[in-house]
Structures are given as structure tokens and as C-alpha cells.
Amino acid sequence: MAGEIYKRPIIFAIAALIAVSVGTVVTTIYPMFTPQMHPKLENLKPYTPLQLVGRDVYMSEGCHYCHTQTVRPLKTEVMRYGEYSKAGEFAYDHPFLWGSKRTGPDLARIGGKYPDAWHYAHFEDPKQFFADSNMPKYGWLKNHPIDPAQAEARMKALGFPYTPEDIEALKGKNKLDALVAYMQVLGTAVAKKPQVTGMQAILERKNPLSGDANAIALGKKLYETNCAACHGADGKGGIGPNVVDNIWLDKEGDVTDGFIYFVIAKGTTAGMQINGRVGKGGMPAYDTMFDEEKIWSMTAYIRSLQQK
Amino acid sequence: MNDYRYDNQTVVGFIASSIVWGVIGILAGIWASIQLWAPELNIPPYFTYGRLRVVHTNILAFGLVLGALMGIFYYITMRLAKTPLAFPKLARVTLYLFNIGIFLGLVTLLGGYTQALEYAEFEWPLDIAVVILWVLFAIVIFGTLLKRKEKQMYISLWYIIATIVTIAVIYIINNLSIPAELFKSYHLFAGVNSANVQWWYGHNAVGSELTMAVLAVFYYFLPKSTGLPIYSHRLSIIAFWSLVFAYLWTGAHHLVYTPLPDWIQTVGIAFTMFLIAPSWGSVVNGYYTIGADWSKMRTNYLTKFFLLGITFYGLQTIQGPTQGLRIVNQLVHYTDWVVGHVHMGAMGWDAMVIVAAIYYIIPKIYKTEIYSVKLANAHFWLVLIGQLIYSITMWISGLQQGVLWKAVNPDGSLQYTFMETVAKIYPYWQIRTVGGIIFTIGMLIFIYNIYMTVRKGKANLATSQA
């Protein structure tokens, strides 16, 4: 009878094993053998040795406990971070690093968002960029050189392709270099497509808030918290270019207010053409963060800086 | 009196070790909680948030809870089998192996050696040690069960067996990895598949160690300490089998709205909803057991630990499934809400029941009474208040985060930068630290009380032998 089972420990254990195996097989083991668990985007490449070492640093330091790496297909999330994550982006991720908590922002689309210099400076002291940040400083990683032989062994373990030159190039590099290289490749298998439809008209527009004292004051506040760390408190540049010298996207000559609006709103994706000027990348888009009034206010403030 | 030569030394050894690891794990948690609002307390390379958090979770889950459970399981199994442990020397080996393993775990995690899988961070050599430990533990438990003098196996033994089996299955599969060096490996699975295996493990590590195992403790010590028989045997049979069956389907509720195939998410969510039934089977059983004589709440100081423990288990198992629903998940996932949820379970349910068991066991073993019921009551209120401050604060802050992340201006642009949403959370994180400290003071009082009980017991023993 069924009651017997409660008198036989081994049979009971087998019954328990069967009970736990059903869900295990259906939801975990069976899917492993289906192609939907092994998708790969066409543009996805295995990690280079430098990127892989960077990924190992990311795991060692537990970055994934505060930063997720998966953008959910929710409207505000796509606005904040970019295109939602695709299953085929993670084929080389052993293990996945999607995380479970966002104490800091998602990093799935961080690659290419900022220039390398931004990352170095931010790892050195996050508070320079975000005064209220609680992220620990990671500048100390630059004192830890990469061991090329170790990196090579790890590439072999994963079966990723590499050349002897790749390994040679690791000499003299440190763990911070690796971490920055990893940041820059994150999310790049999905092409960035800035939404610039309807922006052409803006390029010709004059700033409706031009010279408005209130707008300049608001613009100053926004500039100080969001722009100054890269473009300098006086606008004379740093990680990002000078914004008061009349050279825009490497080309001298004045631009319209609308042009400045455009760059703040949409950032500079590499190769993007704006009124005969070409972007190099490195400036993130701010239009998901700031409404029109704020962007025009920043434009007004930048103009006021130029006049100083 | 029963005169079995029960191996109490090993039981006490596990309990004492687990307390030491518990103190380390809790202090790591408090330190990490302060780092969230005072980042200058990050001391690289060993004591940054990214490393202390993993020390906190692993040392508490495996050092404190698993250590205490192994000791308590030996205690329960001997008594329910009415026989000493089958292999007492082997049992002693498990104690040493356990402590060596946790120590190495602590050192390697601080050193940044991690598999980066939540609750499976230990690197592969330690995983092998854990599997050996678990096999030896199983040999002692099953060996004892096979030579038992009591034919019928009581409910607690079902849960002990299920725990042993489930942990073995999930731990081995999720820790399959490609070793690259000693203390460096890569998950055998990649991407979406890696995520699916990991959260199937992650959820069931909690499901077996922090649920099934603690139910074993609950079902044994509630009747033992109150003298009240379990309300319904039939209910416990139904609850047991449906819990054990349903748990393993639910891991994907940790991956809602990720690129994991939708059908796995949906199946996970559905089974998560179903889990309310068996969970509440035990809640009903617990409440009706105590309900047979409410005066026990007044006359027996341990009753309230069990009552509040099973209450938080009940709340936990309603809150958890609710969080799995897509509509709720999209708001609270990745926020502090989930942190509050976990800590209600850990501090409200697991810690309550396990300390109650230790309060029962230690005086029994040392043939004495608890040193101070007053201190035990103070402990109870402090951990209760500390836990409530902790989890309620996290729920509020979690909802706030979820809403701030979604807030949009009239023109459709986002209302807050990420930094602005973090800055608003600092006060909650400070309150959370206060809750954690209150909880810790309660636990320190508990440790003192246990220590004094042991001293009293040893003194009595010395006088009676003199």
C-alpha cells in the first residue's frame, strides 16, 4: 500500500527524486536540447582575450550584484537604456551575467555609449560624474597587470579564437584596461540606430529660449550635473570636446541652435551625419532624460558660455 | 528515560560552528548595507561591496543555516529513528569537512574567486568538497534510518530526505563548469541556457534548504516543545508531495521579461502560483496545531518563535508568487522589494525556527534549563522588530524605485535620471542598516543565552560527577 513508502527510506528517497525530476526535466533539461536555447546573432563575436579578462574582473568584483545586463521589453526601460535584450546576444556568456538587482543602472547597452576616457575617469572616481553616486572606486585595478599566459589558458578553456598577437598585446596592459574593453563591447552585437526621424526640422530652428535668464539658469544647473564632468565646468573640454570654441564635430564654423539641440538630444553615434558634419561617437543621447524645455535651456546656457 | 548513546558532540559542534559563521555573515551584511550609503567604507580589494555581499549570502546560507541544519538533522534523525548515528566517526568527519569548506569559501570569496552564479559562487574545487560532504552526510542519515528502531518515518524525516535529494540534484547540475585554473572556471552552459539552469538552481536552493529543510525542523520541534500533536497528518502528506513536486518548475519566475523563451517563464509563473497551496498546507497545519491550545503562547516561550516563523512563511509564500506575476514583476523586479522579500523569509521564518530549535536542543543535551527566558523573550522581540523594519523599509523603497524608473514627463521623456532615483533611496538604506543592527543585537543576546546555558549545564554536570 501507499503507506508502505513511509516505512522505507530508500524507496522514499527514490520517490522524492522522481517528484523533483519531473519539473527539472521539463523546464531545465529538455530546453537545453532545443535550438531556442542556443541562438546567436549574426554580429555576435566571441570575446577577445582583453575583453575576456575584463569580463573575469567584472565577475571577481561582483559588478553583477549591482548592475543588470538585460534590458526588458518595457517602454521606459528601452527609453532609458536602449534596444531590449535579445536571446542571441549571449551565446558566448559563460555564465550569463544578467544580474538580479539594479542598485546601479543596467549595462546591457553601455558599449560605445561613452568614450574610453570617460570609463577610466569614472572608475577612478564615480563621484566626479555623479555627485551622489555610491559606486566604489575601481582605479586600483590599474595596479594589477594582466598575466598573458593565464588569459591564453582561459581563451583555450572556452575555445574562443585568438592570435598570438592578441596575447602579445596584453603585455603591459592592466585589469582596468581589460574592464574598460569589456564595457565597450557590451551590447554591441545589436546595431545602434538613433531615432532621428523628424529631427531635420529642428536643425533649422532658433532656440525659443535664447537669452532667457531663467532658461540659462536651468541650463547651467543641468550642465553642471550632466555635462561638466566631460566638457569642463567652463565648457573648454576634457574627456569630451570644447563646446565654446566654435569647432563642432571636428569642423570649424558656427552651427545653428538646432544643431546643438540635436547633438544633446541624440548624441553622436559614430558615422552619423548632421548638416555636413560627421559624428565620432562618445556622446550619449539625452532626449529620453530631458524634455524640450531642458534641452533648449542647456543650449541657451552653452551659447551664454560661448559669449563669455 | 531513553538510553541511546546519541552523538551529541557532533550536533553541538555543528551548532557552535554555525553560530560563529553566522556572526561573520551577519557582520558582512551590515558592513555591505552601510557601504550602500557610505561608499567610502569600501576597502579594496578584499572589502568592497561586490565581495562582501557574496560573503554575506554564502556564509549565512551555507555557514549559518546549512551548518545548523546538518546538526539539527543529526539530532532529529537519531531521535526519530530511536538509535544513535550509524557512523559517528563519519559524522564527525562531516563536521570538520564542513568547517574547512566554509573557511576556504570565505577566503576565496574575499579573494574574488567566484563562479558568479548567485548562491553557487564557490569555485569548482570547493564544489567537489561540498558534493563529498553531502554524500557523507547522506550516508550517515540513511545509514541511521536503515537501522532505526521506529518503523514509521515521521514527517520531518520526509523533508530531510527530500532536502538531501534535491540539493544533490540541483547543486551538481548547476555547478557543472569548465575549469581553467585552480579556482577559476566557466559555467558549462552559456547565455539563456546558463540563466535557466542557474535560476532553476537558485530558486530551489532556497526551496530545499530554506523551505523543505526548515519545515523538517518546524514539524519536529513545534510538537516537541509545546507538547501539542500536529493537527493533520493527511494535510502534511498532501502538502509534502505537492511542494516537492511543484518547486522544481518555478525557477524561471526569476527571469520574467528576460530573453528566456516565454513558455518557460509562463510555466514557471503558473507553478509558482500553485505553490501557494502546499505552502499554506503547512501554515494551516502549524496554526491549527498551536490553535489547539493558545495558552501555550503564554506558558511556553518557544511557541511564539514557531507561530511567528510560520506566519512569515505564510506571508512569504503569498508575496513570492505575487512577485512572479508579470504585472507585478515588471514593477518590483531588480528593486529593493525583492531584497525585503528574501529577508522576511530568512530573518522572519528560517532564523526564527532554527533559533527555537537550538533553544530546545542545547538545554536537552546539557540536561538543564535555558539560562534565561527573559533574555530569550528580548531576543524574540528584537529580531522581530529588526526584521520588520528591514523588510518593510525595503518594500517601500523598492516600490519607489520601480515607480521612479517608469515615471515620464507629459511630453513622454523620462522624469528622472538613474542617479536621481538612487539619491532618493539613501534614507531607506540607512533605516535598513538600523533594522539590521537591531536584528543583530537580538542574535547576540541569543548567542549569550546559549553560551550561558552550556556553561550552566557543564557546571551542573561537574557537580553531579564530583
Side-chain angles (χ1 to χ4, degrees), chain A residues 29 79 91 113 131 146 152 164 191 195 232 242 247 295 302:
Chain A
I29 308 291
M79 285 167 70
K113 183 174 178 185
I146 295 172
E152 187 172 9
Q195 297 293 316
N242 188 317
I247 297 173
I295 299 178
I302 289 167

Side-chain angles (χ1 to χ4, degrees), chain A residues 48-89:
Chain A
T48 66
L50 188 64
Q51 291 160 356
L52 182 71
V53 173
R55 194 169 197 270
D56 290 341
V57 172
Y58 188 93
M59 293 193 271
S60 266
E61 298 314 322
C63 306
H64 54 289
Y65 295 119
C66 287
H67 296 282
T68 53
Q69 285 188 15
T70 173
V71 180
R72 296 178 292 177
L74 304 171
K75 192 180 169 213
T76 49
E77 201 141 304
V78 170
M79 285 167 70
R80 192 181 291 281
Y81 301 113
E83 185 67 12
Y84 66 86
S85 293
K86 316 283 186 267
E89 290 185 70

Side-chain angles (χ1 to χ4, degrees), chain A residues 223 226-243 283-284 305:
Chain A
Y223 181 89
N226 299 285
C227 318
C230 286
H231 296 287
D234 52 4
K236 292 200 175 136
I239 289 168
N242 188 317
V243 294
M283 165 91 183
L305 277 179

Side-chain angles (χ1 to χ4, degrees), chain A residues 211-235:
Chain A
D212 181 312
N214 288 336
I216 292 174
L218 172 64
K220 181 170 192 284
K221 209 181 117 214
L222 291 168
Y223 181 89
E224 279 164 359
T225 42
N226 299 285
C227 318
C230 286
H231 296 287
D234 52 4

Side-chain angles (χ1 to χ4, degrees), chain A residues 5-18, chain B residues 142 153 155 157-162 165 240-241:
Chain A
I5 196 172
Y6 303 101
K7 293 174 188 160
R8 296 177 182 276
I10 302 296
I11 304 222
F12 191 93
I14 293 169
L17 180 64
I18 293 169
Chain B
F142 279 100
M153 292 193 296
I155 313 165
L157 292 177
W158 315 344
Y159 280 106
I160 290 175
I161 292 172
V165 169
F240 172 82
W241 287 109

Side-chain angles (χ1 to χ4, degrees), chain A residues 21-125:
Chain A
S21 296
V22 183
T24 299
V25 169
V26 175
T27 64
T28 308
I29 308 291
Y30 158 73
M32 282 185 197
F33 300 98
T34 64
Q36 58 176 345
M37 295 302 266
H38 308 280
K40 194 184 287 182
L41 289 187
E42 221 175 294
N43 288 337
L44 186 74
K45 293 188 188 70
Y47 294 103
T48 66
L50 188 64
Q51 291 160 356
L52 182 71
V53 173
R55 194 169 197 270
D56 290 341
V57 172
Y58 188 93
M59 293 193 271
S60 266
E61 298 314 322
C63 306
H64 54 289
Y65 295 119
C66 287
H67 296 282
T68 53
Q69 285 188 15
T70 173
V71 180
R72 296 178 292 177
L74 304 171
K75 192 180 169 213
T76 49
E77 201 141 304
V78 170
M79 285 167 70
R80 192 181 291 281
Y81 301 113
E83 185 67 12
Y84 66 86
S85 293
K86 316 283 186 267
E89 290 185 70
F90 305 97
Y92 297 109
D93 286 9
H94 296 265
F96 80 113
L97 290 174
W98 295 348
S100 57
K101 174 77 172 53
R102 276 184 193 146
T103 300
D106 186 272
L107 298 180
R109 298 277 172 248
I110 196 75
K113 183 174 178 185
Y114 300 105
D116 287 357
W118 184 93
H119 284 287
Y120 281 101
H122 180 263
F123 279 125
E124 198 67 53
D125 184 9

Side-chain angles (χ1 to χ4, degrees), chain A residues 7 61 65 100 132 288, chain B residues 51 118 121 148 414 426:
Chain A
K7 293 174 188 160
E61 298 314 322
Y65 295 119
S100 57
D132 294 323
T288 54
Chain B
R51 295 195 187 178
E118 281 191 59
E121 279 97 345
R148 72 193 186 286
L414 293 169
Y426 286 130

Side-chain angles (χ1 to χ4, degrees), chain B residues 351-364:
Chain B
M352 279 286 188
V353 170
I354 289 170
V355 297
I358 295 174
Y359 272 136
Y360 179 88
I361 290 174
I362 293 297
K364 276 272 182 242

